[in-house]
Structure formats: structure tokens, C-alpha cells
Amino acid sequence: MKSPESIPAPLPWQALFVFLLLAAARPGHALDRLAYNHPGLTVDLGVGLWAWPVPCDADGDGDYDLIVSCPDKPSNGIWLFENTTGDTAKNKFPVFKPARRLSSTVHYVMPSWTDGQLRVLSPGWEYPDFTRTGLATKTKLPVDPKFYQPQGTAQGGPRLRHNQWRYTDYDGDGQQDLIVGIEDWSHYGWDNAWNAEGLWQNGPLHGYVFVFRNTGGGNYAEPIKLEAGGRALDTFGCPSPNFHDFDSDGDLDLLCGEFLDGFTYFQNTGTRTAPQYASGQRLKDPRGADVRMELEMIVPVAFDWDKDGDPDLIVGDEDGRVALVENTGPMAAAVPVFAQPVYFKQEADTLKCGALATPFGTDWDGDGDMDIVSGNTAGFIGIFENLSGPKTASPKWAAPRRLEVNGKPFRVMAGPDGSIQGPAEAKWGYTTVVVADWNLDGLPDILFNSILGDVQWLPNTGSRSTPAFKALQSLEVEWQAPPPALAWGWRKPQGKALLTQWRTTPVVFDFNADGLPDLAMLDHEGYLAFFERYKTGTRLNLKPPRRAFLDEAGNPLRLNAKTAGASGRRKLCVTDWDGDGKFDFLLNSSNADFLQQTGSRDGMWVFRNAGTLAKKNIEGHDVSPAVVDFDGNGVPDFLGGAEDGRFYLLQNPR
């Protein structure tokens, strides 16, 4: 570590003051969502992170609309997607209008229907004017929303999530009983419970269903925990209970979702007034394959969408999309048969790339304008093509397409043992991407990190105008000693591969100005580290990391000192933000912190945190900073990927 006396003096405070004053005073430089500017374009319907659907005729015109609750930040709200296409009995997949916000929202908003009338609940509350004003008007329910006490003792995670309240006449007595689905994490514990062989040591994730029988006069009996097959009914989290006569025998069966991606059917083998449930069976499609959503944290709502007399499923997915899972009509082995999910579409408004988007601005196809390549929570990599050409401040955009490798959509997933937070995250990927000519062949390659912490790259084997990818490679470091391992988790580095902190950005830049692209990213202890590139003959190599980025006190920049599931999670990009000829960093915060370089010496660089770029807070879990120059003026502008999957643009004030 350098002493403070040896660190170059910072820029005069006056210069920074003038820069920040311009940022605050320059008009028209708001942090706003990036628009498609493409009339007639249709894209996947979506809110932000998490979609809780309420299918209904919201505007009373005789066709079904979609209202979706989204409890994330910055897209928190009750959102109305109006159907202007017509009756879903004739067209199951209308193109919806862009969403209109009705109100703010809370977690776990669920619909019910009593005598054909929509009723909407959240834990402990009912919202009588939901279709007009969202959650603005509410009535308290006579049941304690904290009635359930978790039983497990595992540490380090949420004890209770997905507290789902609905009405149904459970026992056929003509009164609406209260149904509650409970997701219990108290045995699972959420974080860092792997042994050295990659086996999860905590208990499972539970999903239970309770019934509060209506005893009349606004009173309810003590809750009954439902059983199935002679034992407690238990799903893998998020049960989303739906009572319906799925087999048309006159009683109410039960269909549940789960935290992951599937559906379980519990046949009522009792009667309408004395229900009993068989062991759960997975929903199948007509070919006998399990019906599965593309992502996880799914929320199914039984509803006859196509008006053919049987209940379909309207299902919200983790990335804010909503799908129709159609009831095909027949039964197979006493289980209703459903089609695989088809996601609804809307008129395009603002660009969206799943959830927790991680954009990178680049001329992807060599046509002279700047496109966007982005990762997301699902582990896909999306490509948004700029259709306007260079020097257009507000480009027209094509719908996103997913990157393909060997002709198939490319996806990174944790699988059953790849996430530090356990097997519940099996379908998450958290791809963070950068585009750079890594092998110096003149073609844009893709480097990425993910939920796995493996830094990998995809060499471009196509052309400058048509990138193509055939194989995935690990990023290799010429370690001089055994590579350092994380102090948590079971995965260890293999060979020359770089295994580091998860959900962090690899930054490619020629930091030492020697003509070779270097790498900067968090090391195994959360310090921002410099991996220098060098040549041996014609071979490009990567040196072991060096903590060469310092704060004003001369200490190495440690961007995250936390461990296990709280580790990593830092997104950054490199740019000369203030135009002084020195590279800076933008680091995730409520939007992005400006880490201004104040000097360098002996292969080390010094930074001061000059604060956020804007006052507006777009942070949920993370904001992923990038820079773009759509108008071609040579000045980098800020593009932030937010938790809601959208891109937020801020013009540079200089």
C-alpha cells in the first residue's frame, strides 16, 4: 500500500464543483427510460421484477384485460394492460396496450372471484375498488396476517415469503372461506449451506396451504393446515393455491405453483362439503412432458381466459412477463392436461431485458451505430439493434433477440448446486456482460460473469457484420501459485480458470496503454483488481490480479467486504466521464457513483468518489452502469440497467 504522501494530488476541488454544478443545472438531462420509438412493434408484455397477475374485464367493455402487480423498485405499482383487440374467446393472445399505472402496490396481491365478482386481497387487507384505483382503497380483514409461526431454525435468510390470501367456498356451505398459501424458508435458510461435495445441508423450502372457515358474522375459525395423501400438503415454496373443479366431478380440486417453475395438481377424492386431497401430481402437456415456466418465482391464477368452460392458468413469471398456460380439456391419469406457456405481447414502449438488466453499449453489427447487448437474471444475453443509424440521439430499436451459440439460445443457469443461495435459485443466471475484441482478431467477442462466478468468454467466429458463436471458453490466468478460492461455498477454481465473486462485471480496457486489452474486476475478497494482459510470442496471456486501484488514502479499493450471498453484486464500467483524459469508473448505487480518477503513479491509479450521477433512485437490487454515445458527439452518456429490466438514459452534462 502506498502512503498518503506518495499519492498524486487530486484535481482542484473547483473543477469537480464546476462539473457537478453543470450536471445539476443543465436542462433536459433527466434519468429516463429508453424508449423503442418504433410504432407498430410488439414485444413481450412485462412489468418489472415479479409479476402478480389479475385477469379481468377492467374497463367493462366485455373483453379480458390484464392487471399486474409489480412490487419491485423502480417499477412498483398496479399496472393495467388494456386489451383493445377483442374477445379472448376468439383471440387468445391479444396485443395489449402499454401499461397504465393505477397505484403503488405491496407484496402478494391475489385475485378471487365470488359470485362472478372480482375481489382482491393482500395479507390482512381487501381492496374494494381495485380495477379503478388499485390499492388506494382498502378494508382490514379480521384475521392476523402473521398467524403463521415458522418452525425451522436455519440461519441467514427470510423466514416467511409469499403470504398469499384468497377467497373460496372451500366446504360448499355458501360462505366464502379464507385460503392462505404460506412459503416457509425457516428450514432452508437461503445462504451458504453447501458441504464440500456440493450437497445442500439445510432443510427444504416449504409451501403450505391453510383454510380459515367462515363461521358467519364476519368471523373465521382457527386455521386448518391442508393435507394431501395423508400428510401435510407441501410444495417447493410459493403454493399460489387455486381451488377449482378441474375434473368436472362437482367438487373443488386444488392446483398449486411453486418457487421454481412447475405446477402440482391435488385431486379432491372426497366430496364438495368434505374435501380430501390425493398426493400431488405434476401437470403435463399433451406429449407427457412436465409443464414448466421459463423462469421461476411463478404465480399461477386459475381463470377461464378463452371462455371454453374450463379453467386455464394465467401465470406471472419472475422477470415481469405473464403467460397463458391453456387447459387443453382432456384428462390423463386423472390429471388435467395443459399446454406449455405462451407469453403475452404488448405494444412496445420502453426497452426491457428480463430483470436486473446488465447492458453494454457497442456497435454490435459494424454498421456505424451503437447497439445494446445485455445480460439478465435468467442467464440469457439479449441483443437490441439500433435501427436509426449513427448520430441519432433517440434511436428506433428492434425487438430484442437472444444470443445464440451453435444455433441455440445461449443461457447460463445455476442448476441444482451453482448458487451460493441454494437450489431454489436453480434457474437463475445473472449474466453480466462486456463486448470487446478479446483475441484481437478484429471481431467483437463477449466476456461475462454470472451466478457461478466463472469468468468466461465467447469468441466471435462470424464476421464483423454478422457475429456468430460456436463454443464457450473459460478466461485463463497465468497463476504463479494455486489460484485463490472464495472463503465460502463449495466450488473451487480449476486449472487456470478465473473463479471470483458472483454477479460482478468484468471490465475490459487497456488500462496501461500498451495496446492490449486488460481486465479489471472484483477479486475473491471483493477488491477491485487489475489483471494485466501480455504477450508470449503470438499468445495473449493474463497476469494474476494486482490491487492497483486505490482510494485517496492509498488503500486498495474494496467494493464489497461482505461474504457468501451478500458478496459480489457490484456492477461497474470504465469511461472518461469528465473528459479530463483519464479513465474513470461508474459504480452501481442508487443510479451510479462517479469514481473520478485523480492521478496515477507506478502502475497504480487513485480515485475519489464524487457522488451519484443523478438524484433519481432507480435501484432495486442493483443498477448495472454502462456508457453509450447514441448521438455521436464523442461524449459518453450513462445507460443504467435496473432491477425492472429496463434501461435508463442520462445525458452527460459536459
Side-chain angles (χ1 to χ4, degrees), residues 244-246 302-305 308-313 325-327 338:
H244 227 290
D245 187 7
F246 288 95
F303 186 84
D304 186 9
W305 180 258
D308 65 352
D310 54 35
D312 310 300
L313 300 177
V325 177
E326 185 182 356
N327 190 332
F338 284 77

Side-chain angles (χ1 to χ4, degrees), residues 36 352-353 364-365 371-374 380-387 398-404 409 465-467:
Y36 270 106
K352 187 177 190 312
C353 189
W364 177 249
D365 49 12
D371 312 296
I372 299 171
V373 178
S374 180
F380 294 110
I381 296 175
I383 300 166
F384 295 79
E385 184 183 356
N386 183 340
L387 301 176
R401 67 181 189 274
R402 288 173 175 171
L403 181 80
E404 294 188 347
S465 60
T466 310

Side-chain angles (χ1 to χ4, degrees), residues 74-93:
S75 284
N76 178 284
I78 300 293
W79 300 91
L80 168 62
F81 293 87
E82 185 186 359
N83 172 12
T84 60
T85 306
D87 192 352
T88 52
K90 300 176 181 178
N91 178 13
K92 291 178 285 191
F93 297 102

Side-chain angles (χ1 to χ4, degrees), residues 23 228 320 396 423:
K396 175 181 178 181

Side-chain angles (χ1 to χ4, degrees), residues 163-184:
N163 188 357
Q164 304 170 303
W165 292 38
R166 309 186 74 177
Y167 287 127
T168 196
D169 182 3
Y170 171 77
D171 51 10
D173 65 356
Q175 299 195 92
Q176 296 299 314
D177 307 300
L178 189 61
I179 309 296
V180 182
I182 292 288
E183 181 178 276
D184 185 348

Side-chain angles (χ1 to χ4, degrees), residues 88-89 91-93 246 255 263 283-286 291 293 301 303-315 323-330 336-344:
T88 52
N91 178 13
K92 291 178 285 191
F93 297 102
F246 288 95
L255 191 152
F263 309 88
L283 287 193
K284 305 285 187 179
D285 70 9
V291 177
M293 297 292 287
V301 173
F303 186 84
D304 186 9
W305 180 258
D306 54 10
K307 302 181 180 180
D308 65 352
D310 54 35
D312 310 300
L313 300 177
I314 305 299
V315 191
L324 170 64
V325 177
E326 185 182 356
N327 190 332
T328 63
V337 178
F338 284 77
Q340 294 292 339
V342 179
Y343 289 88
F344 290 114

